[in-house]
Amino acid sequence: MASPSQAAASARDVGAAAPTSRRRAAAPPTRGKRRLTATVAAYVLVLPAALFYIAFVISPIVRTAQYSLYEWDGISPATWAGLANYVQVFANPTLVGSILNSFELILYFSVVPVILGLFAANVIRGIATSRLATVARTVLFLPQVIPLVAAGIMWTWQLSTKGVVNQFLELVGLGAVARAWLGDTQTALPAVGVIGAWVQLGLCLLLLLAGMTKIDPALYEAARIDGAGPVREFFSITLPSVRQELAVCVTITVISALASFDIIYISTQGGPANSTLVPGLQIYYLAFFQRDIGTASALAMVLMVLVLLVVIPLQRVLRGRDA
Amino acid sequence: MIVSARETWLGRALLVVLMLVTVLPFVSLFVTALHEPGTYPGGLSWPEDPHWENFVLAFQSADMFQLLWSSVLIELGVVPFAVLIATLAGFALGHLAPRGGRIVFIVFLLGLTLPFEGIIVPLYYQMRDLGLLNTRWAIILPLVGLFMPFAVTWMRAHFVNMPQDISEAARVDGATTWQLFWRIHVPLSLPALSSLAILLFLWTWNQFLLAVVLVDDPAKRTMAGALGAFQGQWGTDIPLLCAGSLLILTPTLIVFLVFQRQFVAALLQGSLKG
């Protein structure tokens, strides 16, 4: 927004004796008081949103931090536990395992959809005017619209012993590897990951496509004339141009991996043998089934900090856009 | 643009494969829903005699009217109110720009990446103490709060770009801040408002965690939460479960296909601004 500097520049050109902004010029002697009323009026408008935000976000965060320092079953009086719950989070193999699982899910929820999204968006950019491009955008986005629970149910059925996945494997002569994908400790986490990748692809595709349509076509013409192949073109022009969109994709999908709940609750409940347990689900179990509010809250704090630790560096890439 | 034929065909083939993989689960769900209830059919097989009545059966056994009504009530409690208060705050922070407004905005920004699981435990006790557990208010009130970081950021970004001249002209004509807001800015902001409303509608409809933790009765949950309970109840009857899942995800698909353009635009802007 260049308007204030433009106003200043025009004032200088005219050679005005007192080059003040319009607002300042209009201000009567009671300026201070009026400004105060304006500020109060503005804050009155912010108040309802702020109250809801404080009551249902800020205050629960503070209370999570508080609970995390106590031993509490939710009924009897709480006893001070200091950092014991945090020690538990980092020492108990099940809890550590849930955190590691959520990091492994980043590979499926984030890396796979981002790479596939890049390829698909690049193809669609090349054939932007065709019917296929329009249809592909709509179709690939569909999984984003339905509840994650529905995605979980669909895929649980597909990955079951008699599901489509095994049917396909038998068709191509790989019947030997067919199995209950979600029921096998070796394959359950990747199988859950496939569901996440299926859901996230559409969002990544659309975001990256939005970035690619802003690239000047002349750049591509020039690259082709200079003899660049499709691969070189992709890495030299397309990829650097969508840096910010890429950062957004990664931010959103990484959060969805770390904070996953719906898909896993529906498809595996964290099993078999905790092989798909993630912090979100573990918090739910600890708090509402094992009645260990303290540890649940400590894990919740760790999860919130982990998300911030991942998001903050990515924001630096994003901020480059505004500069 | 100069593109070789081989590249084009390879790319198109990749797209078609991705589309097939995307659509396959929907198709599989649909054909399975047509099999005889109680059977365990193969993943992708057309039944000899399709049981179309499964959809009716699932509709009745899930008490779909009640579920729809519950979701509609929750949507009505969340969306208009959240949009209204976020617009007021966004207008104040973005357009009136009061002293210290930046700090208030940054505090809102902090909530943008919060995983809901992080605060679900205190929310449960908060709702219990308020006596609201197992009522729709237990979903509505926290959701309004949880949507505020995004909604306020969204509306602020819109109002920051509104030219001050419009407001100054209205002020000269004697408009109060309130009149300025309702008569001038709200009508000019309808595209931003409707995009926000569509996004909040979808997120409310698909909200699962709050529904599962805070409300036991599936008939008082969101659609996604009700679907979770439906799976628990019909998990063993695959054709009926598939029919029920299809019924439950159809409304969002319809909303998406009808508002497709606004929808995608909203999501793109939303994620890029957020």
Side-chain angles (χ1 to χ4, degrees):
Chain A
M1 290 266 293
S3 59
S5 58
Q6 275 170 355
S10 62
R12 204 166 45 237
D13 289 345
V14 179
T20 49
S21 79
R22 260 171 296 165
R23 214 193 292 183
R24 212 178 292 171
T30 54
R31 199 179 107 208
K33 192 181 168 195
R34 184 179 286 189
R35 216 189 129 78
L36 183 70
T37 343
T39 308
V40 171
Y43 279 114
V44 168
L45 298 183
V46 178
L47 200 64
L51 284 180
F52 269 84
Y53 181 55
I54 292 169
F56 299 108
V57 177
I58 302 283
S59 130
I61 292 177
V62 173
R63 283 173 70 184
T64 302
Q66 187 194 352
Y67 291 167
S68 74
L69 300 172
Y70 285 86
E71 206 61 61
W72 188 36
D73 62 4
I75 303 156
S76 35
T79 53
W80 177 256
L83 294 176
N85 293 320
Y86 288 91
V87 173
Q88 175 94 8
V89 168
F90 291 109
N92 183 324
T94 311
L95 302 191
V96 177
S98 74
I99 295 172
L100 294 179
N101 283 345
S102 73
F103 273 94
E104 194 180 328
L105 281 184
I106 291 177
L107 178 68
Y108 308 107
F109 278 55
S110 186
V111 178
V112 171
V114 165
I115 291 175
L116 285 178
L118 272 172
F119 277 117
N122 201 38
V123 172
I124 292 181
R125 181 193 58 77
I127 54 166
T129 45
S130 80
R131 184 107 188 110
L132 179 67
T134 325
V135 175
R137 271 170 28 167
T138 307
V139 168
L140 294 179
F141 193 72
L142 286 180
Q144 274 283 319
V145 183
I146 62 168
L148 285 173
V149 185
I153 291 181
M154 284 176 163
W155 277 92
T156 308
W157 172 232
Q158 292 215 105
L159 291 163
S160 67
T161 36
K162 284 185 78 179
V164 175
V165 175
N166 285 341
Q167 252 184 352
F168 176 77
L169 287 173
E170 272 151 33
L171 199 73
V172 297
L174 287 169
V177 293
R179 67 187 81 194
W181 297 94
L182 290 162
D184 187 318
T185 47
Q186 293 300 310
T187 57
L189 196 61
V192 166
V194 166
I195 311 179
W198 181 80
V199 171
Q200 302 294 350
L201 174 64
L203 182 66
C204 291
L205 169 75
L206 280 183
L207 281 168
L208 294 167
L209 196 57
M212 287 182 194
T213 50
K214 284 185 293 192
I215 303 172
D216 184 357
L219 280 176
Y220 289 107
E221 300 282 2
R224 291 271 155 153
I225 290 164
D226 290 348
V231 177
R232 180 64 197 271
E233 184 185 81
F234 176 77
F235 283 103
S236 302
I237 302 175
T238 312
L239 201 56
S241 309
V242 295
R243 197 173 58 111
Q244 269 97 28
E245 283 77 13
L246 212 54
V248 178
C249 279
V250 174
T251 310
I252 296 174
T253 51
V254 166
I255 294 174
S256 74
L258 293 177
S260 51
F261 180 85
D262 305 18
I263 289 176
I264 297 172
Y265 179 97
I266 289 295
S267 58
T268 64
Q269 289 89 45
N274 291 341
S275 57
T276 58
L277 193 63
V278 287
L281 201 59
Q282 180 67 331
I283 292 167
Y284 173 72
Y285 289 152
L286 281 172
F288 302 109
F289 292 89
Q290 299 167 29
R291 297 260 152 213
D292 185 352
I293 311 298
T295 312
S297 302
L299 186 58
M301 290 304 290
V302 171
L303 176 64
M304 289 192 276
V305 171
L306 277 181
V307 167
L308 285 180
L309 285 181
V310 172
V311 168
I312 289 168
L314 286 168
Q315 289 309 305
R316 302 191 67 162
V317 183
L318 274 180
R319 228 175 292 138
R321 180 185 48 189
D322 303 330
Chain B
M1 202 175 289
I2 319 154
V3 184
S4 79
R6 196 170 55 131
E7 255 176 72
T8 319
W9 286 111
L10 207 69
R12 286 177 187 228
L14 174 84
L15 266 192
V16 171
V17 169
L18 283 178
M19 282 162 67
L20 284 179
V21 172
T22 305
V23 172
L24 201 62
F26 291 96
V27 177
S28 167
L29 205 62
F30 180 69
V31 295
T32 309
L34 294 177
H35 281 268
E36 189 168 344
T39 56
Y40 194 70
L44 205 57
S45 58
W46 186 257
E48 277 169 27
D49 91 282
H51 289 254
W52 294 99
E53 73 278 6
N54 282 357
F55 289 104
V56 181
L57 209 60
F59 196 98
Q60 287 164 347
S61 62
D63 212 342
M64 206 65 74
F65 274 124
Q66 207 182 352
L67 298 187
L68 277 169
W69 179 235
S70 175
S71 294
V72 168
L73 285 178
I74 292 173
E75 293 283 357
L76 286 175
V78 173
V79 179
F81 184 62
V83 168
L84 172 70
I85 67 176
T87 307
L88 286 170
F91 172 71
L93 295 175
H95 196 73
L96 303 177
R99 212 178 269 266
R102 233 194 122 64
I103 298 167
V104 177
F105 172 59
I106 289 171
V107 175
F108 273 108
L109 267 184
L110 286 177
L112 214 50
T113 61
L114 178 85
F116 286 15
E117 297 102 316
I119 60 167
I120 192 68
V121 177
L123 279 181
Y124 175 85
Y125 289 103
Q126 202 174 348
M127 288 303 136
R128 189 192 65 175
D129 295 345
L130 290 169
L132 295 176
L133 275 188
N134 296 324
T135 67
R136 291 188 188 94
W137 292 110
I139 300 175
I140 292 171
L141 296 175
L143 267 192
V144 172
L146 283 160
F147 286 157
M148 280 307 112
F150 176 81
V152 171
T153 312
W154 170 270
M155 289 316 300
R156 179 188 170 275
H158 164 75
F159 282 115
V160 160
N161 292 323
M162 293 292 271
Q164 287 285 347
D165 306 14
I166 301 173
S167 302
E168 276 164 26
R171 294 266 193 211
V172 170
D173 290 343
T176 63
T177 304
W178 194 241
Q179 286 168 329
L180 183 69
F181 176 73
W182 279 113
R183 297 249 182 100
I184 313 286
H185 282 283
V186 168
L188 286 174
S189 309
L190 287 181
L193 286 173
S194 56
S195 296
L196 180 63
I198 292 172
L199 284 178
L200 295 188
F201 166 83
L202 182 76
W203 292 341
T204 305
W205 189 270
N206 292 349
Q207 176 55 44
F208 183 64
L209 179 69
L210 291 185
V212 165
V213 171
L214 301 172
V215 177
D216 277 336
D217 182 358
K220 291 180 187 165
R221 286 180 177 174
T222 59
M223 220 44 172
L227 182 55
F230 191 72
Q231 191 219 23
Q233 198 182 343
W234 295 99
T236 49
D237 193 336
I238 301 290
L240 266 193
L241 177 64
C242 291
S245 306
L246 267 181
L247 288 177
I248 279 178
L249 63 83
T250 305
T252 47
L253 282 187
I254 292 173
V255 170
F256 169 64
L257 293 173
V258 170
F259 293 103
Q260 205 190 135
R261 202 162 291 181
Q262 292 93 316
F263 210 92
V264 170
L267 241 147
L268 288 179
Q269 287 173 43
S271 5
L272 287 170
K273 276 177 190 159

